[in-house]
Amino acid sequence: MKLIKAIIKPERFEAVKKALEDNGVTGMTVMEVQGRGEQKGITLEYRGKTMIVDMLPKIQIEIIVRDNEADDLITTIIGAAKTGKIGDGKIFVLPVDTAIRVRTGEMEH
C-alpha cells in the first residue's frame, strides 16, 4: 500500500476532489495547512504598505491506495491541480506497512 500526500492550492481542491470521486476514490483525509516552496511567499500591498506573506494557505490531501493504483491516482491529482504556475504543490508517495480499521480491527498489509 501507498500513502499519497498531495499539497495543493486551496482553489483547486474542489476540482481535485471531484476528479478523485470520478475515479472511485471516496476515502481521504483533508487538512488546511500553510507552507511555502520556491516562491518563498508573496508580496501584497495593503493600505499603501508592502507586506510579505511567506507562509501561504494550502490544502493537504492524504489517501491510502494499493500499490498498483498509485500511479493512476497521482496522474488524476496532477490533472486536476495543475495550473502551470509556481505554487501548484507537491505530491509525496510513502510506503504503508499496515492499515487497521478501528471499528472491526481488520488489518491490511
Side-chain angles (χ1 to χ4, degrees):
M1 290 181 296
K2 301 286 186 194
L3 167 61
I4 308 296
K5 192 180 276 203
I7 300 171
I8 63 170
K9 291 180 174 182
E11 58 268 23
R12 299 304 305 156
F13 173 66
E14 288 301 323
V16 171
K17 184 173 80 167
K18 172 120 177 50
L20 291 170
E21 288 172 351
D22 289 349
N23 283 286
V25 176
T26 56
M28 64 185 81
T29 302
V30 178
M31 294 162 268
E32 293 180 6
V33 296
Q34 293 186 13
R36 70 180 207 172
E38 291 180 24
Q39 81 270 26
K40 299 179 185 157
I42 58 174
T43 303
L44 300 173
E45 293 286 329
Y46 181 72
R47 294 187 178 184
K49 295 183 182 178
T50 301
M51 298 174 45
I52 297 175
V53 180
D54 67 345
M55 298 301 284
L56 301 173
K58 300 286 181 181
I59 297 291
Q60 180 174 305
I61 304 168
E62 294 184 351
I63 304 167
I64 304 290
V65 296
R66 290 180 175 79
D67 289 347
N68 63 342
E69 299 169 336
D71 289 341
D72 287 342
L73 180 67
I74 291 164
T75 301
T76 298
I77 294 169
I78 290 171
K82 185 177 180 179
T83 67
K85 299 178 183 170
I86 290 177
D88 274 351
K90 291 262 181 164
I91 299 174
F92 303 97
V93 181
L94 297 91
V96 174
D97 294 330
T98 306
I100 303 163
R101 186 179 308 273
V102 173
R103 178 176 49 87
T104 64
E106 174 187 2
M107 289 185 155
E108 287 188 56
H109 296 280

